[in-house]
Amino acid sequence: MPDGATNTGIGASVKRVEDKRFLTGKGNYVDDINRPGQTYAYILRSPHAHAKINSIDTSAAKSASGVVAVFTGEDMQVGSIPCGWQVDSADGTPMREPGHPALAQGKVRYVGDQVAIVIADTLDQAKDAAEKINVDYTPLKAVVDLRDALADTTLVHDEIETNISYDWAIGDKAEVDAVFDGAAHVTKMDIVNNRLIPNAMEPRAAIGDFDRASGEYTLYTTTQNPHVIRLLMGAFVLSIPEHKLRVVAPDVGGGFGSKIFHYAEEAITTWAAGQIARPIKWTAERSESFITDAHGRDHLSHAELALDANGKFLGLRVETAANMGAYLSTFASAVPTYLHATLLAGVYTTPVIYCNIKAVFTNTVPVDAYRGAGRPEASYLLERLVDRAARETGLDQVDIRRRNFIPSDAFPYQTPVALAYDSGDYEATLSSALKLAEVDGFAARKAEAAGRGKKRGLGYSTYIEACGVAPSAVAGALGARAGLYESAEVRVHPTGSVTVFTGSHSHGQGHETTFAQLVSDQLGIPIENVDISHGDTGKVQFGMGTYGSRSLAVGGEAIVKATDKIISKAKKIAAHVLEASAEDIEFAGGNFTVAGTDRSMAFGEVALTAYVPHNFPHEELEPGLDETAFYDPANFTFPGGCHICEVEVDPDTGTVEVVSFTAVDDVGRVINPMIVEGQVHGGVAQGIGQALLEGCSYDEDGQLLTGSFMDYAMPRAHNLPSFKVATEETLCAHNSLGVKGCGEVGAIGSPPAVINAVVDALADMGVTDVAMPATPQTVWRAIQTAKS
Amino acid sequence: MKSELTVNGRKIELDVEPRMSLLDALRDELGLVGTHAGCEHGVCGACTVIADGEAVRACLILAVQADGLDITTIEGLAPARGELSVLQDSFCETHALQCGYCTSGFLLAATVLLRRTENPSRAEIERAISGNLCRCTGYTQIIEAIELAAERLGHRNTNEPEGAA
């Protein structure tokens, strides 16, 4: 804890205030909510990856027991589900955005695509009735593999005459090519970033409700950003004005990006509730989650790094095909471009970079942001390439990174790929990680492992990420169709307790604790007197929600702006009562004091004066103490750090064991170290999951082969080591808290550290690459291939 | 079909369709929504309850099969209203939960472990929670919580940690 900090203020590991309800089963998730007169929905989905719908006969279903209504795409003629970011191709043409219907219109384009909704008094009745729907399909050839889709022989969307949504580029290709021509060494790699299924433990759910008397719709939904859903669904899909549409995201059981997006089921249940004037509950079964939650990653890249004779990076060129799935999901178009290509400088001084991105439709579930979103793909590509370059040039893994780090005195640092880093110290996180990981003792550990027949390896990743996408004006110029600020209202109650309304949303991150610490610290009041409210558009002012590690860096800063306004007004009120000038009022420890005197008012007394304004500066101020702020950051924030992974590989079976994982991250100022540690652990666990276990697999007809927890390997307790984590602080230069964000660092930094460690372990057997997930079979094959 | 069971110390008579799972009966018939559906195929452990002293998945038992069983759900874990068990408190202490969705299942699985094993090793803890998935924490802090609870229960020097765990 820093000097001067209280035991509940900034820097303290305050126990989470939200825990008690979760520990006692009192959480309030969407599926826990039941509305009077509620009906239940089952959504009939396409069994085909690509098919023409000739006809749908719902007559038997409609007359089945308990059925209230059945609707198909023919009934639901509404707007298309929108994509939130327009990306233009390099030739200036806008991306191709085929219509994305909530209920299929004449065609289905992936297994799981919505075909009909059956609404009944009970869920069993709805499911039974759905069996009676007769859909006449003509199956069409599906295009599943990215390479096949690029060939354009089978089209996902006939009307756009190609599978490529956009062909985008950043950087000057001719300039980069020239650098390669003169390079002493060029390292080349084909790199696959494996497709993942997010699998938040709470399946998605939605309850649509319609009040016939007021004409108001309410949607309870498992989302990370209720206002964004209200805007997208209300304005673009259903044409419901926002004052007649309330979106509630209560406790949400994990998101990891997959609950950012506006999903068809939200629109279908809301629209259908209006049709039948009864509440409708839909809850995904896990097998539905697998085939409808947006998947993550799925990049196919060719990357080349040019180096001079001293191992300095001269240039980088990258060609990436990014799988979009069947439709453009909410943020899908931004992920491979503005969240991936712009991160390719990493923590290095590479002077010129060119990256081309082709966004490609396939007959698979839409692909969108998943923890890290684009940045894990960038860090994996870059750190695998750097690892390979070191091996090819004979440089030490640490040395090659040090030779190319952006030095700590070079900030602000303009990269060649648009971003300008504000602060960082990559040597500090590296040297701290080297100590924590006890790298000095590695050679002895490797020798000891060899004695047991095991191959031990050490892998590094020095990575950067960009959080809190901003500012709105720049994002808008780059195609974002929304602002990227955050809002906060700090409502001081008459007796001095405070409710904070934040436009961000907590689905595990602990906002109710971290933000309360912040406000307690700013206003000098006990943390018990602060309540954090979020997740209900009926209560909270418009806000942009939680993703991209933005809650504290953007949402927290909005809270500070609002508390600054509170303090400023409170000083004037105190000055009036204490008969001093506002400039002479000092605020510390929750007391407003006339400088140099013992005349003072407590925060609660000022609050009461504001609401019982008998002795009050009416000519200057309005009564009340309630302030709102919107904060639009000047820049992204740039957390970064060093992850070191140590593995043991059994060369006979290909089994990889992570024996130690060290993460030293710079996430800026830390408000609650315990929560930050938890965020890093969780991110690293997902990163190790991607590297060693998780791989989404389709067959050539577009059937998902990994459609259950029996087939898709999620990390379990015995798969993961205890993590060694620490932080190094450089402060963000453009927010007053100095915070950067910590939600994604683990998932961004860790996968290349793991794979680099596996490659290191097997390097003396001739293995130069191992694909993710590095399952025993994959590793064993890599060993056999190297042998032969 | 009717079945009689005990849930959190109360005798309950259910009259449900034969195909209804114990999980759905707990949530929809009894309003005990602290037991969560995570996969409905017995692989994630989110719906873990204690049945006659064993940690079982409520999604894999039909409600009618629970006839005669003594069930404890998350709502019955705390020693008294407004209090937390030693294990629940340890989960808060070590930050063993984030979104909270899988938490009830872990608490009930670990409760059974601590009733049987006074000082579980890390391997024993990993085995006891190997049927439970958590997507948020990376498990380290969950294991620490169970270790902390074991330590605290041990320090109490009581022969009967059952009720307290």
Side-chain angles (χ1 to χ4, degrees), chain A residues 153-172:
Chain A
T153 45
T154 303
L155 296 178
V156 179
H157 299 274
D158 292 334
E159 68 273 25
I160 60 170
E161 296 173 349
T162 170
N163 288 321
I164 296 175
S165 174
Y166 58 76
D167 186 342
W168 176 94
I170 191 168
D172 183 336

Side-chain angles (χ1 to χ4, degrees), chain A residues 555-642:
Chain A
E557 193 67 13
I559 292 173
V560 172
K561 298 271 181 242
T563 55
D564 284 349
K565 291 184 188 178
I566 294 281
I567 293 166
S568 170
K569 182 172 180 180
K571 277 184 176 174
K572 290 175 187 163
I573 298 170
H576 176 85
V577 175
L578 298 170
E579 298 177 341
S581 85
E583 293 74 46
D584 291 337
I585 301 292
E586 291 173 346
F587 179 60
N591 289 302
F592 296 89
T593 307
V594 182
T597 75
D598 59 358
R599 284 185 295 144
S600 170
M601 279 179 89
F603 183 79
E605 293 177 277
V606 175
L608 192 63
T609 306
Y611 287 97
V612 187
H614 297 166
N615 179 13
F616 190 86
H618 286 287
E619 61 290 345
E620 186 191 354
L621 298 174
E622 295 170 5
L625 198 53
D626 186 340
E627 298 285 354
T628 299
F630 284 72
Y631 170 66
D632 200 325
N635 192 357
F636 289 81
T637 62
F638 297 98
C642 176

